[in-house]
Amino acid sequence: MPAASAGALVLALGLGTVAYGLTPTGEPVRIAYTGPDAAAPTHSPPTAGAALPGSAPDVQRTASPPVRLLIPRIGVDAPVGPVGLNGDGTVEVPPLDRPDRVGWYRDGAAPGLPGPAVLLGHYRTRKGAAVFLQLPKLRPGDTVQVRREDGRTVSYRVRAIRQFPKSAFPTDLVYGDTPDAQLRLVTCGGTIGHDGHYSDNIVVLADLADGP
Amino acid sequence: MSRTSTVHRSVRSALVCAGAGVAVVLSAGAAAADGSSPSPVPSATRSAAPSAVPTLPPVGPDGTRQGSALPVGPDGRRVGTTPRGGAQTGEADAGTSPTAVVLGSVVALAGAAGIGTAVVRRRRAGAQA
């Protein structure tokens, strides 16, 4: 019965097209640089009460929240606001309807103080490109600046760019204590799953270049 | 029962079946497209006790807001809670393709109608034999 076979073929083709239409699409997001990390700063870790390298002694005891993030090489100049934890213990992110904003994990370190200051931004939302769309293109040596609420600016230098599956997120690497002031930039990468979310996180690790 | 009414009934039932199938597919697609759940973490796995309540950072003696609501150690480091897992810092922008869904539905409908027509013709041929 060739007519029925042809009909079944067309039906299968149609259902396949529908299934394709229901599948989220998008190119996989990968970091551009996969070479060796930049050398870590050679200065020794500060002791309690000692000044951070390149920083004024009075500001190391004054935690001031970040208010703006500037990454000249990828054209980022974005407002920063505090984020905390969701009820399930995961980190909050900026609202999806504000893809231009960057979130600072307020229970971590403040920029310029010992420990990792963690900034989170969306890679892409349903509204389109977000603030960290170009983040995977960063390379070791790039400069990142964080402007604090007290008007001072902390400069960091990118040491490494890494990509991890969310299922194997390196919590200690990102949030773990460090002897000196560091910066973490976190966004999404990898492929889009059926839940509409990306499979990976891209993490930029940066060291203090110039204190506030 | 006339042969014509049998044919009409067969065609009608084939079209109804095809239409129902496409409607189910479309409704599933609409549900998937509308699903804007911000987190893939199932609610069943959520902790009963949130580890932190969002609060504004306190204001220090110098009038500036401090960096964290959590305790600060002698060296200025915070003693706080570590987030669990990765961050949901992105979502599919295009999501699903309505054009492909509509086009596929039309093609599927045509295929179902073709099957129905073939079945009717076969029955008609059998009745004539």
Side-chain angles (χ1 to χ4, degrees), chain A residues 88 90, chain B residues 37 39-46 84 88:
Chain A
D88 61 0
T90 58
Chain B
S37 171
S39 169
V41 179
S43 58
T45 62
R46 291 188 172 188
R84 188 165 64 85
Q88 295 291 12

Side-chain angles (χ1 to χ4, degrees), chain A residues 67-152:
Chain A
V67 293
R68 200 146 195 97
L69 173 69
L70 300 98
I71 312 177
R73 203 174 90 76
I74 56 174
V76 170
D77 183 355
V80 180
V83 295
L85 292 179
N86 295 308
D88 61 0
T90 58
V91 69
E92 285 181 333
V93 295
L96 289 169
D97 60 353
R98 295 296 309 275
D100 59 323
R101 288 189 66 86
V102 174
W104 164 60
Y105 180 57
R106 62 171 170 248
D107 291 340
L113 293 189
V118 181
L119 302 180
L120 308 109
H122 291 291
Y123 174 79
R124 187 179 277 280
T125 71
R126 293 185 183 210
K127 289 190 166 189
V131 62
F132 278 174
L133 180 72
Q134 303 295 331
L135 200 73
K137 295 181 179 176
L138 280 183
R139 292 172 174 274
D142 287 341
T143 299
V144 180
Q145 294 180 318
V146 180
R147 193 169 299 154
R148 309 196 322 178
E149 195 178 64
D150 62 3
R152 298 170 188 267

Side-chain angles (χ1 to χ4, degrees), chain A residues 33-39 138-143 157-161 205:
Chain A
Y33 181 84
T34 57
D37 298 346
L138 280 183
R139 292 172 174 274
D142 287 341
T143 299
R157 186 161 293 117
V158 173
R159 171 165 35 97
I161 304 103
L205 300 98

